[in-house]
């Protein structure tokens, strides 16, 4: 009887862990934990007070992981594995994470418009950006984790608003887009698996403001780092890039060592390694 009870507790605990996308630790959900290179979770974001860990679920599958800053309402970083495209167009919906509204809600990302229609008396945007925050803001909904780096349905999952930042339109549609395309070509030549981190560095005091309320921080920089692994488990190539989020429209490519130095300049705590053995 005791063994049966213990088994039930273990099963129940496991089901609770995989039921949602807001987690205490990324390794609570194995499919989420796999987004990180060799299971190495960076120290980035330890100097942020109001962060949550998200394991993004769409079509009952986990696709990537995000450390999300609920104060600035932009991601510290997202971690994902590159996938070659299998076709499929851009998602027309913008999703939000229900558990950032109410922890008891489903962890499956939902269309923000319809979730709002179904819950008219509940404000959905206390801890995350909403689609209306970006309307007439002058900024693009700039993907951090690019939809073009995934196959469907992972591609659809990148349209959660926790995966976008207010990005300067010129940068989003030109230099950064070209850089993402260059990465696609590079990753297609990766022998085994390309792990990617992409994130944003918040500005001191530059926000999308709605009704006299600071809603979404307009980041100062967007950045990217990657590590391609061969079948032998060793790194084949690596690198990264940064871009000032302005009409300057310039992407600066860097080594991983240079990326750590750059990120350290904008962190109050040690950044450490971005990837293990790369």
């Amino acid at each position: 009887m005791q063994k049966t009870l213990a088994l039930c507790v273990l099963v129940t605990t496991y089901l609770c862990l995989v039921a949602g996308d807001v987690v205490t630790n990324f390794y609570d959900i194995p499919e989420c934990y796999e987004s990180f290179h060799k299971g190495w979770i960076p120290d980035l974001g330890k100097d942020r007070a109001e962060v949550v860990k998200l394991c993004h679920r769409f079509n009952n599958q986990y696709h990537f992981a995000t450390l999300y800053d609920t104060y600035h309402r932009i991601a510290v970083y997202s971690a994902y594995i590159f996938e070659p495209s299998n076709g499929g167009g851009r998602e027309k919906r913008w999703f939000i994470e229900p558990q950032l509204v109410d922890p008891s809600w489903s962890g499956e990302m939902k269309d923000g418009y319809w979730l709002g229609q179904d819950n008219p008396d509940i404000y959905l945007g206390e801890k995350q950006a909403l689609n209306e925050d970006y309307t007439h803001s002058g900024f693009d909904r700039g993907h951090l984790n690019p939809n073009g780096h995934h196959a469907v349905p992972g591609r659809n999952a990148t349209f959660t608003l926790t995966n976008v930042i207010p990005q300067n339109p010129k940068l989003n549609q030109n230099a950064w887009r070209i850089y993402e395309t260059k990465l696609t070509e590079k990753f297609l030549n990766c022998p085994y698996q390309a792990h990617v981190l992409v994130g944003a560095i918040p500005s001191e005091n530059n926000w999308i403001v709605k009704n006299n309320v600071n809603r979404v921080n307009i980041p100062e920089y967007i950045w990217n780092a990657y590590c391609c692994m061969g079948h032998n488990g060793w790194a084949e190539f690596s690198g990264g890039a940064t871009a000032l989020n302005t009409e300057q429209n310039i992407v600066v490519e860097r080594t991983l060592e240079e990326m750590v130095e750059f990120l350290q300049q904008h962190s109050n705590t040690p950044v450490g390694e971005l990837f293990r053995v790369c």
Side-chain angles (χ1 to χ4, degrees):
M1 180 66 178
Q2 288 180 336
K3 290 184 178 179
T4 302
L5 179 59
L7 179 60
C8 289
V9 170
L10 287 172
V11 171
T12 302
T13 301
Y14 178 76
L15 289 174
C16 289
L17 289 176
V18 301
D21 63 355
V22 177
V23 295
T24 303
N25 296 290
F26 285 120
Y27 52 76
D28 287 344
I29 299 176
E31 299 94 329
C32 178
Y33 187 49
E34 290 170 359
S35 298
F36 294 91
H37 173 254
K38 292 183 177 292
W40 180 259
I41 298 173
D43 287 334
L44 281 169
K46 286 192 173 180
D47 58 339
R48 308 272 188 98
E50 301 179 39
V51 294
V52 294
K53 299 176 178 69
L54 303 176
C55 293
H56 298 283
R57 180 150 60 97
F58 178 79
N59 273 7
N60 207 31
Q61 298 177 42
Y62 293 99
H63 299 282
F64 63 102
T66 295
L67 185 66
Y68 189 71
D69 183 337
T70 62
Y71 172 72
H72 293 102
R73 299 186 183 89
I74 58 174
V76 178
Y77 65 77
S78 285
Y80 68 93
I81 299 172
F82 171 80
E83 300 174 292
S85 173
N86 59 355
R90 288 176 61 89
E91 179 63 65
K92 294 181 179 179
R93 299 165 293 177
W94 286 104
F95 303 110
I96 66 170
E97 307 294 340
Q99 289 192 344
L100 288 182
V101 181
D102 186 326
S104 69
W105 288 5
S106 167
E108 179 96 1
M109 62 179 67
K110 299 292 184 182
D111 182 327
Y113 175 80
W114 288 111
L115 190 61
Q117 293 291 307
D118 293 340
N119 300 276
D121 298 326
I122 298 176
Y123 181 52
L124 305 179
E126 181 179 350
K127 293 185 177 180
Q128 63 191 310
L130 303 177
N131 194 34
E132 52 262 36
D133 291 327
Y134 286 86
T135 303
H136 306 305
S137 69
F139 290 89
D140 282 359
R141 298 164 183 81
H143 278 67
L144 287 177
N145 179 353
N147 71 89
H149 285 189
H150 293 272
V152 173
R155 180 169 186 167
N156 306 76
T158 65
F159 284 82
T160 171
L161 287 160
T162 52
N163 181 49
V164 302
I165 60 167
Q167 193 168 5
N168 181 277
K170 187 173 183 180
L171 175 66
N172 185 41
Q173 298 168 30
N174 292 276
W176 195 256
R177 176 188 59 82
I178 293 168
Y179 172 67
E180 289 177 337
T181 301
K182 180 179 178 180
L183 287 185
T184 298
E185 296 168 355
K186 183 184 289 282
F187 294 159
L188 286 173
N189 291 315
C190 181
Y192 174 55
Q193 198 171 69
H195 282 264
V196 188
L197 294 170
V198 59
I201 296 174
S203 60
E204 286 290 334
N205 193 27
N206 193 13
W207 295 76
I208 291 177
V209 179
K210 296 288 183 178
N211 299 318
N212 297 316
V213 175
N214 289 345
R215 282 295 304 155
V216 188
N217 185 270
I218 301 165
E220 183 179 5
Y221 286 96
I222 183 173
W223 61 270
N224 162 286
Y226 58 86
C227 179
C228 163
M229 303 301 295
H231 290 282
N232 59 4
W234 292 98
E236 294 285 330
F237 57 82
S238 63
T242 60
L244 195 63
N245 188 27
T246 67
E247 289 196 356
Q248 185 178 350
N249 194 36
I250 295 174
V251 174
V252 179
E253 296 196 46
R254 303 175 186 265
T255 65
L256 282 185
E257 291 77 11
E258 291 169 340
M259 283 302 309
V260 171
E261 291 174 4
F262 174 84
L263 293 171
Q264 188 62 71
Q265 294 173 15
H266 300 275
S267 175
N268 296 319
T269 56
V271 170
E273 292 181 319
L274 298 178
F275 302 101
R276 175 172 285 173
V277 192
C278 192

